[in-house]
Amino acid sequence: DAKTTQPTSMDCAEGRAANLPCNHSTISGNEYVYWYRQIHSQGPQYIIHGLKNNETNEMASLIITEDRKSSTLILPHATLRDTAVYYCIVRLYSGGGADGLTFGKGTHLIIQP
Amino acid sequence: DAGVTQSPTHLIKTRGQQVTLRCSPKSGHDTVSWYQQALGQGPQFIFQYYEEEERQRGNFPDRFSGHQFPNYSSELNVNALLLGDSALYLCASSSFTSFGSNTGELFFGEGSRLTVL
């Protein structure tokens, strides 16, 4: 799986949009970009994933650049409960089951009141 | 609908001992993966079980072994514990067979925190 690079930490004001960047310059054509987050003392939680088109769900939006070498996770209206470590993961989705994920250290997002 | 459940939540062992951790997958899931998360680090993939067999394995020694039962629940066993095995052990489940609705999403439990003294 391709490696990813994320900032170690970020701050965002409550109510504002939080934009979390991720670089994955070695991504291959059939690898997906996944985002998970881990709130303190809990297991990781799936947020969103995409291949090359922008994606949106009830939690967030995922913007993938045209060359697919980077992406941005957007939390449109951050709340204090969004304070967590956010992991950007690139993986080959084989369609059956879920192969082992390679987590980096992620970005510690702190939402300020 | 119960999510992924793990037991015990916390435990303390001494070096050289053996430990067994347990996981029940989310209802409808048939695949279980185990991860180790050291303090301040991201989770590291240990192995994955499907149809009662180890399907994929990360870079962990043979001291780490597992089992999956016919009801899809799973155990993680660690022998000859080392201080460095102290970590949060996470279980994640997914569905291998429901291709149409499978986003590749993993559902994680809250973890078992192991302390080795």
Side-chain angles (χ1 to χ4, degrees):
Chain A
D1 292 338
K3 291 187 176 179
T4 62
T5 303
Q6 300 177 252
T8 301
S9 65
M10 293 181 62
D11 287 351
C12 179
E14 188 177 19
R16 304 296 294 268
N19 296 275
L20 291 88
C22 179
N23 286 318
H24 31 78
S25 58
T26 60
I27 192 170
S28 62
N30 54 358
E31 287 182 313
Y32 289 71
V33 180
Y34 279 77
W35 283 84
Y36 281 75
R37 73 179 183 183
Q38 187 172 23
I39 297 170
H40 184 60
S41 298
Q42 296 183 19
Q45 174 191 26
Y46 166 83
I47 301 173
I48 198 168
H49 79 285
L51 181 62
K52 52 184 178 182
N53 297 320
N54 298 337
E55 303 287 344
T56 296
N57 63 21
E58 64 278 3
M59 289 183 68
S61 295
L62 174 60
I63 308 297
I64 302 174
T65 58
E66 192 169 344
D67 63 8
R68 303 208 325 121
K69 293 185 176 183
S70 66
S71 60
T72 301
L73 177 74
I74 301 172
L75 307 178
H77 304 288
T79 71
L80 297 178
R81 289 175 295 180
D82 292 321
T83 292
V85 178
Y86 287 76
Y87 297 99
C88 170
I89 300 165
V90 171
R91 64 181 280 264
L92 178 66
Y93 173 51
S94 63
D99 294 336
L101 299 179
T102 301
F103 287 84
K105 291 189 175 182
T107 296
H108 187 194
L109 175 66
I110 300 171
I111 306 301
Q112 304 283 1
Chain B
D1 176 26
V4 179
T5 58
Q6 294 186 241
S7 63
T9 55
H10 296 80
L11 71 167
I12 299 173
K13 293 285 187 179
T14 57
R15 281 178 297 175
Q17 285 189 313
Q18 179 264 346
V19 68
T20 297
L21 308 177
R22 297 175 177 81
C23 172
S24 292
K26 179 179 168 64
S27 177
H29 286 183
D30 53 14
T31 303
V32 173
S33 302
W34 287 92
Y35 288 77
Q36 179 195 66
Q37 186 173 24
L39 202 60
Q41 305 294 316
Q44 300 299 306
F45 174 69
I46 303 174
F47 43 52
Q48 180 189 78
Y49 276 82
Y50 170 65
E51 291 189 328
E52 302 180 46
E53 292 189 0
E54 184 180 294
R55 180 172 171 266
Q56 187 183 13
R57 189 179 183 94
N59 188 25
F60 278 80
D62 291 345
R63 298 188 297 109
F64 290 77
S65 63
H67 188 77
Q68 185 179 35
F69 300 93
N71 66 354
Y72 309 121
S73 66
S74 176
E75 288 182 351
L76 164 66
N77 300 292
V78 186
N79 294 321
L81 284 168
L82 305 174
L83 296 179
D85 295 331
S86 294
L88 180 68
Y89 288 86
L90 295 160
C91 171
S93 74
S94 58
S95 173
F96 189 95
T97 54
S98 57
F99 177 83
S101 61
N102 187 355
T103 66
E105 175 183 354
L106 292 184
F107 289 81
F108 284 84
E110 300 287 298
S112 295
R113 184 163 297 282
L114 171 65
T115 301
V116 182
L117 302 178

